[in-house]
Amino acid sequence: MSTYNTILLEKKNRIAFITINRPDVLNALNSEVMTELASLIAELDSDPEIAVSVLTGAGRAFAAGADIKEMESHSFVSMYMEDYFSKWDRFAAARKPVIAAVNGFALGGGCELAMMCDVIIASEKAKFGQPEIKLGVSPGMGGSQRLTKAVGKAKAMDLVLTGRMIDATEADRIGLVSRVVAADDLMTIATEAAEAIASYSIPVIMANKEMVSASLELPTTEGVRFERRLFQALFSTQDQKEGMNAFVSKRDADFRDK
C-alpha cells in the first residue's frame, strides 16, 4: 500500500477508513488530494481484504471545495490540456461502495465528492452547497449532473444559480443525503453501515452497486434487463448457494467472496 501526504488510511474488519487530512485549509481538494484519492480507490478496488470504504474529513469540514489558490492562475488552455479534475472520474468509478461521512462543510468540490460516493451519512452540523457561481465559474466535478439526478431540476437550479448553502435537514428533505445523525454519532453510525455491507459477499456487493449505479444512465426497460442478467449471473457464485442454503437452514451465512 502506498504512502499518502494528504489523506489518512486505516483498514479494519474489511473496511477502509479514509480521512482527507488538510484541516488547516478545510480539506480543500487540490491536485494532490485528487491524485491520492484516485490512486487509493484503485488500490482498494483490487484489495481482496476490503469490501467497503468510509470517507470523511479531518477537523470541521468534509471538504470545503476545490483549492482556489491552485486554480486561480489557470487558463482555458492549461485546464483543457491537463484535463483538470479528470482523475476524479477514477474515484467516481470505484467498484466497491464508498460511504461519505460528512462531518461539516461539503461545498463545491466537497459536495461533488460526497455525491460521487454511494451513501451519504451527514452529521447534523453538515453544510452542503455548490457556490461556484460566486467565483465566476460553475461546478466542474460533476455537480450539475449528479445534483440534478439526486434532487431534481428545480432544487439543483436553486442551489447552483444562487450558490446558497443548505443544512443537513434540508439536504435530507430534498434527497441529497441518506441519513442525518447526531454529530457525536457520525462515525459510529457510518461504521455500523460499513460493517453491515462488509458482512456480505464482495462480488455480490459489487454487483448490487453496479446495478443501482446503472439506473442513473439506462432507460428503465434496459436497466431492468441489466439487473436481471446480473441477478442471474450471481447464481454461478458459491456465495449464492451458501446464502440461500443458510436461509433455508435458519443459520447465519458464511460468505467466502466466491
Side-chain angles (χ1 to χ4, degrees):
M1 181 65 67
S2 303
T3 300
Y4 299 100
N5 295 320
T6 65
I7 54 180
L8 304 176
L9 174 65
E10 179 185 1
K11 293 182 178 181
K12 185 178 180 181
N13 299 330
R14 290 169 42 107
I15 304 167
F17 294 92
I18 309 165
T19 304
I20 305 170
N21 190 35
R22 302 184 74 212
D24 54 323
V25 290
L26 297 178
N27 301 320
L29 302 173
N30 63 5
S31 294
E32 189 173 22
V33 177
M34 174 174 63
T35 299
E36 291 191 344
L37 278 176
S39 175
L40 174 58
I41 214 70
E43 291 185 21
L44 296 174
D45 267 355
S46 61
D47 187 339
E49 301 301 319
I50 295 297
V52 59
S53 299
V54 176
L55 175 66
T56 194
R60 61 193 183 94
F62 176 75
D67 194 320
I68 305 305
K69 289 183 179 179
E70 181 182 78
M71 290 192 294
E72 182 184 8
S73 62
H74 272 276
S75 66
F76 164 73
V77 171
S78 64
M79 282 285 188
Y80 183 75
M81 294 296 289
E82 290 179 27
D83 200 8
Y84 205 80
F85 286 157
S86 62
K87 289 182 181 177
W88 287 119
D89 295 343
R90 179 61 193 87
F91 181 91
R95 299 183 67 200
K96 294 175 182 176
V98 181
I99 297 170
V102 180
N103 49 308
F105 295 110
L107 305 175
C111 186
E112 291 169 303
L113 177 58
M115 290 189 291
M116 291 179 207
C117 299
D118 302 293
V119 176
I120 302 177
I121 299 178
S123 157
E124 60 191 358
K125 295 182 179 180
K127 304 287 186 182
F128 298 86
Q130 297 291 160
E132 291 90 346
I133 199 167
K134 297 180 179 182
L135 303 175
V137 289
S138 65
M141 289 165 51
S144 66
Q145 306 304 300
R146 292 188 178 93
L147 183 62
T148 303
K149 288 180 169 66
V151 305
K153 175 187 172 183
K155 296 293 185 183
M157 282 291 192
D158 180 6
L159 293 175
V160 171
L161 293 180
T162 68
R164 74 184 182 93
M165 187 166 56
I166 62 173
D167 60 20
T169 299
E170 184 172 357
D172 187 34
R173 187 174 71 247
I174 67 177
L176 180 57
V177 305
S178 310
R179 316 181 200 177
V180 177
V181 302
D184 291 343
D185 296 336
L186 175 64
M187 289 308 298
T188 298
I189 292 174
T191 300
E192 288 174 352
E195 287 172 343
I197 294 169
S199 70
Y200 305 127
S201 163
I202 291 177
V204 177
I205 293 168
M206 293 170 70
N208 276 268
K209 168 172 173 163
E210 186 176 5
M211 64 177 66
V212 174
S213 296
S215 71
L216 298 175
E217 309 292 340
L218 298 175
T220 301
T221 300
E222 187 177 344
V224 170
R225 187 179 301 115
F226 177 73
E227 173 191 272
R228 189 170 300 139
R229 292 294 177 264
L230 277 180
F231 169 77
Q232 292 163 347
L234 290 173
F235 278 72
S236 67
T237 66
Q238 295 178 24
D239 286 334
Q240 173 269 325
K241 303 295 184 289
E242 167 61 16
M244 290 193 172
N245 181 264
F247 179 83
V248 171
S249 302
K250 295 181 171 58
R251 61 177 176 82
D252 292 335
D254 181 18
F255 295 122
R256 299 298 178 91
D257 303 325
K258 296 180 179 179

